[in-house]
Amino acid sequence: MRLIFIGPPGAGKGTQSEKICKRYGIKQISTGDILRKNRKEGTELGNKAKEYMDAGSLVPDQLIIDMMKLEFTNPDYENGYILDGFPRTVTQAEALDNMLKEINIQLDVVLVLEVPREELISRLTARRTCRGCPRTYHLIYSPPKVQNICDNCGSELYQRIDDSDETVISRLKIYDDQTRPLIEFYENKDKAISVNGMGDITDITDLLFDLLDSYK
Ligand code: AMP
């Protein structure tokens, strides 16, 4: 199973991807997580990406495309994957099309998670991220059991610089300008399916499972 998750920052792509991966035995490929890992390790890519990420802007297409070409060589992805945060521009989507054509592979479906803007702002500014694993929390709706400590791995939680109020507004604008056009791109290929991302996390997961069961 090969899927793409499109949705604005804060729509819940990461949370739902984790559940989808467990159920279908596929891997999540989050470009944001890969970039954060590179930054932590101080790689050349991490250093180049830093200023764009902290400002909430997109890392240049060519850096991302080269990074993904390399990532796709990982044999872990043979059973399938869910792309979370890639592609984010039409240029990236075209590059992905070419990569898949070269290896004769088709995407199954592109899930579009829709959430109203006010809700996204509330979710992102109250989001806390674990330093040790990809888990995230919402200070009000899904706080950790112990303040500032991850339930999963015990590491400290922090607020991503790009989850601060001003940066969130600019990230949402970038989504509207650069990523939203991908919905039409994939509708034209008959691949896009919209899912309402508002409501209880488990209800949304059930809806996604019902939908994806038909692609198994
Ligand atoms: P995310 O964790 O998906 O919100 O990504 C965090 C940041 O990483 C984004 O705000 C961008 O700066 C950068 N980033 C992640 N994925 C991409 C991508 N596909 N294209 C460009 N920049 C990206």
Side-chain angles (χ1 to χ4, degrees):
M1 198 184 259
R2 289 175 186 82
L3 316 171
I4 295 182
F5 230 145
I6 295 181
K13 301 186 297 295
T15 307
Q16 297 296 345
S17 295
E18 222 182 293
K19 294 172 192 291
I20 291 173
C21 289
K22 271 199 193 124
R23 180 173 169 105
Y24 299 102
I26 60 176
K27 297 279 181 192
Q28 176 187 12
I29 309 182
S30 156
T31 41
D33 286 347
I34 300 172
L35 290 167
R36 278 184 288 277
K37 184 165 175 275
N38 272 275
R39 284 183 57 167
K40 215 165 152 183
E41 291 169 356
T43 66
E44 195 185 335
L45 170 66
N47 293 337
K48 283 187 186 157
K50 184 178 183 312
E51 62 175 302
Y52 300 100
M53 295 175 76
D54 286 349
S57 15
L58 294 185
V59 174
D61 282 333
Q62 202 51 53
L63 283 179
I64 297 289
I65 292 166
D66 291 345
M67 175 182 103
M68 288 307 288
K69 278 189 181 151
L70 190 69
E71 189 67 24
F72 277 132
T73 60
N74 185 334
D76 281 2
Y77 303 138
E78 264 164 23
N79 275 344
Y81 45 75
I82 181 158
L83 294 173
D84 161 13
F86 175 83
R88 244 170 161 112
T89 63
V90 172
T91 306
Q92 292 180 18
E94 285 167 348
L96 174 63
D97 257 14
N98 291 333
M99 287 182 225
L100 294 174
K101 262 187 210 134
E102 268 172 29
I103 48 173
N104 211 8
I105 274 180
Q106 292 256 338
L107 287 171
D108 292 296
V109 65
V110 177
L111 300 166
V112 181
L113 207 51
E114 306 272 14
V115 174
R117 195 183 165 85
E118 290 66 37
E119 170 73 12
L120 293 169
I121 294 173
S122 141
R123 286 188 192 178
L124 288 168
T125 51
R127 179 160 78 175
R128 294 297 178 269
T129 301
C130 176
R131 287 198 191 278
C133 74
R135 179 121 182 227
T136 58
Y137 297 83
H138 186 286
L139 287 182
I140 298 154
Y141 303 132
S142 59
K145 292 192 185 97
V146 179
Q147 201 183 356
N148 268 327
I149 300 293
C150 177
D151 298 350
N152 220 16
C153 72
S155 302
E156 184 197 18
L157 306 183
Y158 74 110
Q159 184 180 37
R160 283 170 42 178
I161 297 181
D162 59 342
D163 281 343
S164 65
D165 295 15
E166 322 79 69
T167 314
V168 160
I169 304 287
S170 119
R171 286 166 70 202
L172 292 176
K173 181 164 182 344
I174 289 172
Y175 175 79
D176 284 339
D177 293 346
Q178 304 206 49
T179 309
R180 196 176 280 288
L182 289 184
I183 300 175
E184 201 184 330
F185 179 93
Y186 286 114
E187 274 170 357
N188 291 337
K189 295 178 183 290
D190 274 336
K191 294 284 182 196
I193 298 185
S194 280
V195 177
N196 181 359
M198 281 294 280
D200 193 74
I201 292 179
T202 47
D203 291 344
I204 301 166
T205 310
D206 288 344
L207 206 114
L208 288 166
F209 286 174
D210 280 351
L211 207 152
L212 292 175
D213 278 349
S214 61
Y215 289 90
K216 259 197 307 198

